[in-house]
Amino acid sequence: MSEEDCRALRSRRLVSKPLVTMDRDEVLRRSDGDRSLRTTSNGFMDLEHVINRKMELKRKAEVLKTELMKEVDIHFNEFVNNFIEESTALEASSASINCYPGNAEKDGHKARSKGAPHHGKIFVSRRSLLDELFEVNHFRTIYHMFIALLILFILSTVVVDCIDQGRLVLEFDLLFFAFGKFPIVFSTWICMFLSTLIIPYVLFSWWAQGYKTSSHRTIRSLFYGSLYLTFQMLGLGFCPAYIVVQHNLPPASRFIVILEQVRMIMKVHSFVRENIPRVLSFAKEKSIVPVPTVSQYLYFLFAPTLIYQDNYPRRRLFCHPLICGFMLQVLGCLFYAYYVFVRLCIPLFRNISKEPFSLRVLVLCIFNSILPGVLIFFLAFFAFLHCWLNAFAEMLRFADRMFYQDWWNSTSFANYYRTWNMVVHDWLYYYAYRDFLWFFGRRFKAAAMLSVFMVSAVVHEYALGICFGFFYPVMFILFAGFGMIFNFILHDRRRGPIWNVIMWTSLFLGQGVLLCLYSQEWYAHRHCSLNNVSYNPRKAK
């Protein structure tokens, strides 16, 4: 036998072996199938059990499929958002001044002189993060837990009223006090809004339309700039604060006026800041100077963003039930905060105000204030940054709804400051941080960051000081002091779960300190009059 014949014989044997094993497996499977058929023929119970088992497995597979698709969608959205942010940063570093959409510029145009930095904020159509997370049952359950806690607060209030008063008491005195004198608030807001709508737009239009033909451009710019600054400082800065103090508005009413004052100041600055470089650029090219329309400016005043653009991504339709749902959730958060104050805060601080001050009392008060402080913190975030802004976005069909990011996963305070409130962060980044670097140079990044912290701390302390009616710089010290220190210590290089725990612990403790100290000062101003000149510390002992 030749060598080739031996090789062919070996290959046939090797091929025949797996075929034999396959035939044996097939025979065993057929025998098992015949056995199962025989068992099912004896009764229908086994067959029904198999069918039910298959249907149950099919349902589980469908559930796993939907959960897998949601997880993939969440990760894909995160990838798209990160990609957009990186592309925005790359474009911002090489792009020139914004061009007006009605007048196209040539490609490759470069600024001939040192101009203002191009603001690379790109708005895209995207949902809020909580809207995506609430589609997952695990996250939806956390929302249900907060609702259950609200129900318990209501039940405890009803039970205590029935025991103490012998009847159900539904007075809501705290809400009526906090939001008192609402007609003054509404009339003040109307005046603020109309002046913000008319005066800055008219001043900018007059300056822009006559800038190209003016022979004294510097004098013209200084004149209109001084009028604009006068309006910002007196019309939007001094007058609302004077009305709040003069009419002695209650705290919540003061918050409405002051927060709207700050919002309109920031929006007017963004409108002027974004359009002045455009006018200067078109004036150099001797083309028609672009001026935004009134409808564009009016839309920007109501849009849930502080960065002006002529056009934003819009959705085709808006959903009335969704708007009503967001507004009802805002109302629910308001009542939630009311019950937190009534059940957790007022009994605590009312009793503490009657005790002599000591370090032990202060420490216990801070730790007892952590729970209500954290609840109010969560309610403020959910009510304003999610529900309120999404409601206006839905009404205006505003498509970019990334008002916050996953700040709860932050392992550093630097990332927390960037992702907690994207609306304010964008304004501070483009108009405080980047403009500071453009004016003083990129060598002063630490000074630019320090200036941003100082501006934010001063505005926060100004709002709290006006709203509470006293100057007590706890927020300023925590924000500009400890907040800035933590920003450099807990930076972006800190990774791992332990740093997230440290961030949450510091955040909880800060909320307790704020609530405790401001509440004690509030009760001190109510019970210890500063006009009582007959007070003697020795007699008080």
Side-chain angles (χ1 to χ4, degrees):
M1 187 180 291
S2 63
E3 188 173 342
E4 294 180 358
D5 294 337
C6 291
R7 290 177 181 173
L9 183 60
R10 281 195 216 99
S11 63
R12 287 172 191 166
R13 289 175 181 174
L14 291 173
V15 171
S16 62
K17 285 181 180 179
L19 289 176
V20 171
T21 56
M22 291 173 61
D23 292 338
R24 289 178 181 175
D25 294 338
E26 187 175 358
V27 169
L28 290 173
R29 268 191 245 107
R30 287 180 180 177
S31 61
D32 292 339
D34 295 338
R35 227 178 274 121
S36 63
L37 288 175
R38 283 195 297 270
T39 54
T40 55
S41 62
N42 293 332
F44 294 100
M45 294 300 295
D46 295 337
L47 182 60
E48 291 179 358
H49 176 72
V50 171
I51 294 174
N52 293 332
R53 182 64 178 169
K54 288 183 178 180
M55 295 299 294
E56 184 180 356
L57 291 175
K58 186 176 180 180
R59 285 193 296 268
K60 289 183 178 180
E62 291 293 333
V63 172
L64 291 175
K65 179 182 176 182
T66 55
E67 292 181 356
L68 178 63
M69 293 304 295
K70 289 178 182 178
E71 292 291 333
V72 171
D73 183 62
I74 291 173
H75 290 293
F76 179 74
N77 289 332
E78 291 179 356
F79 169 76
V80 171
N81 294 334
N82 293 331
F83 177 75
I84 290 172
E85 291 177 359
E86 292 178 1
S87 63
T88 300
L90 292 175
E91 291 178 3
S93 62
S94 60
S96 61
I97 301 173
N98 281 335
C99 63
Y100 190 68
N103 300 278
E105 289 184 319
K106 294 181 179 180
D107 296 335
H109 171 74
K110 295 182 180 180
R112 291 183 290 273
S113 61
K114 183 181 179 182
H118 171 75
H119 296 288
K121 174 67 177 179
I122 297 178
F123 293 89
V124 296
S125 179
R126 47 189 173 177
R127 301 169 63 192
S128 291
L129 188 56
L130 283 183
D131 287 335
E132 297 177 351
L133 293 178
F134 282 160
E135 293 180 356
V136 181
N137 291 330
H138 303 291
F139 292 98
R140 190 75 180 178
T141 303
I142 300 176
Y143 177 75
H144 296 162
M145 291 166 61
F146 276 90
I147 296 177
L149 187 59
L150 173 61
I151 294 173
L152 291 178
F153 275 127
I154 296 174
L155 288 177
S156 65
T157 305
V158 170
V159 171
V160 170
D161 289 341
C162 292
I163 293 175
D164 294 341
Q165 305 291 334
R167 60 184 179 86
L168 182 62
V169 181
L170 296 175
E171 295 179 351
F172 299 106
D173 294 338
L174 182 61
L175 284 179
F176 287 112
F177 163 73
F179 291 92
K181 301 181 180 180
F182 194 77
I184 299 176
V185 176
F186 182 74
S187 59
T188 304
W189 183 87
I190 290 293
C191 295
M192 292 168 56
F193 172 74
L194 292 178
S195 62
T196 304
L197 176 64
I198 297 172
I199 296 177
Y201 184 82
V202 171
L203 289 176
F204 176 79
S205 300
W206 288 351
W207 172 79
Q209 292 172 358
Y211 180 79
K212 185 177 68 172
T213 58
S214 176
S215 57
H216 303 283
R217 293 182 176 180
T218 304
I219 298 176
R220 181 183 182 85
S221 299
L222 289 175
F223 174 72
Y224 281 99
S226 61
L227 292 179
Y228 162 73
L229 291 177
T230 302
F231 168 73
Q232 285 279 66
M233 291 186 294
L234 296 180
L236 287 180
F238 175 76
C239 291
Y242 176 79
I243 293 174
V244 163
V245 176
Q246 186 67 23
H247 291 276
N248 195 21
L249 297 181
S253 299
R254 293 190 179 200
F255 264 110
I256 295 174
V257 175
I258 297 301
L259 293 183
E260 282 296 291
Q261 173 199 34
V262 175
R263 183 183 72 91
M264 291 180 185
I265 289 175
M266 297 170 74
K267 278 185 175 285
V268 170
H269 178 81
S270 176
F271 174 75
V272 174
R273 175 65 183 80
E274 291 289 341
N275 285 285
I276 284 180
R278 181 190 301 175
V279 173
L280 297 177
S281 175
F282 277 81
K284 291 179 181 179
E285 298 176 358
K286 297 181 179 180
S287 57
I288 299 175
V289 177
V291 177
T293 62
V294 178
S295 60
Q296 290 174 334
Y297 180 55
L298 180 62
Y299 181 87
F300 169 65
L301 290 181
F302 285 100
T305 179
L306 297 174
I307 306 296
Y308 174 80
Q309 287 188 5
D310 290 327
N311 299 291
Y312 300 95
R314 307 275 292 273
R315 294 188 177 182
R316 297 182 61 184
L317 300 172
F318 63 90
C319 180
H320 292 89
L322 193 59
I323 298 172
C324 295
F326 283 130
M327 287 301 181
L328 288 176
Q329 290 180 31
V330 172
L331 190 62
C333 290
L334 184 63
F335 280 97
Y336 207 137
Y338 164 78
Y339 284 110
V340 169
F341 277 106
V342 169
R343 304 306 307 165
L344 298 179
C345 296
I346 293 179
L348 173 65
F349 298 108
R350 182 182 294 166
N351 296 328
I352 288 179
S353 62
K354 300 176 183 179
E355 299 179 4
F357 177 80
S358 65
L359 182 61
R360 178 181 179 277
V361 172
L362 177 62
V363 172
L364 290 177
C365 178
I366 290 175
F367 281 97
N368 290 332
S369 302
I370 289 178
L371 177 59
V374 170
L375 288 176
I376 294 171
F377 171 77
F378 286 149
L379 290 173
F381 161 74
F382 183 74
F384 179 72
L385 290 177
H386 181 72
C387 298
W388 185 262
L389 295 182
N390 271 289
F392 273 85
E394 190 68 27
M395 285 187 282
L396 299 173
R397 298 187 289 115
F398 189 83
D400 192 349
R401 305 183 182 184
M402 188 60 67
F403 307 125
Y404 53 88
Q405 292 182 355
D406 56 337
W407 56 268
W408 46 85
N409 293 327
S410 299
T411 56
S412 65
F413 271 88
N415 185 69
Y416 166 74
Y417 292 139
R418 288 194 299 266
T419 56
W420 151 254
N421 188 346
M422 296 294 296
V423 180
V424 176
H425 170 265
D426 290 339
W427 193 93
L428 289 173
Y429 175 72
Y430 289 117
Y431 304 131
Y433 181 76
R434 288 183 56 175
D435 282 356
F436 187 95
L437 293 180
W438 165 73
F439 191 80
F440 292 100
R442 303 192 67 84
R443 297 175 298 173
F444 300 95
K445 288 186 176 181
M449 188 179 298
L450 177 63
S451 66
V452 170
F453 269 96
M454 291 301 295
V455 169
S456 182
V458 168
V459 173
H460 279 80
E461 188 58 44
Y462 162 76
L464 291 180
I466 295 295
C467 295
F468 291 145
F470 53 81
F471 177 70
Y472 196 48
V474 178
M475 173 65 80
F476 181 82
I477 294 174
L478 290 180
F479 208 110
F482 293 99
M484 189 168 56
I485 293 173
F486 287 153
N487 182 67
F488 289 101
I489 295 177
L490 299 179
H491 46 74
D492 291 330
R493 296 178 184 176
R494 307 295 187 185
R495 300 290 181 181
I498 184 62
W499 298 106
N500 183 253
V501 173
I502 294 174
M503 191 275 296
W504 275 110
T505 304
S506 305
L507 199 62
F508 285 174
L509 187 60
Q511 299 302 319
V513 170
L514 288 174
L515 182 62
C516 173
L517 296 183
Y518 277 110
S519 299
Q520 284 188 346
E521 189 68 15
W522 171 271
Y523 275 96
H525 278 263
R526 292 299 175 271
H527 297 298
C528 303
S529 177
L530 297 178
N531 298 323
N532 188 6
V533 296
S534 62
Y535 175 73
N536 190 343
R538 295 181 179 178
K539 293 181 179 180
K541 292 181 182 179

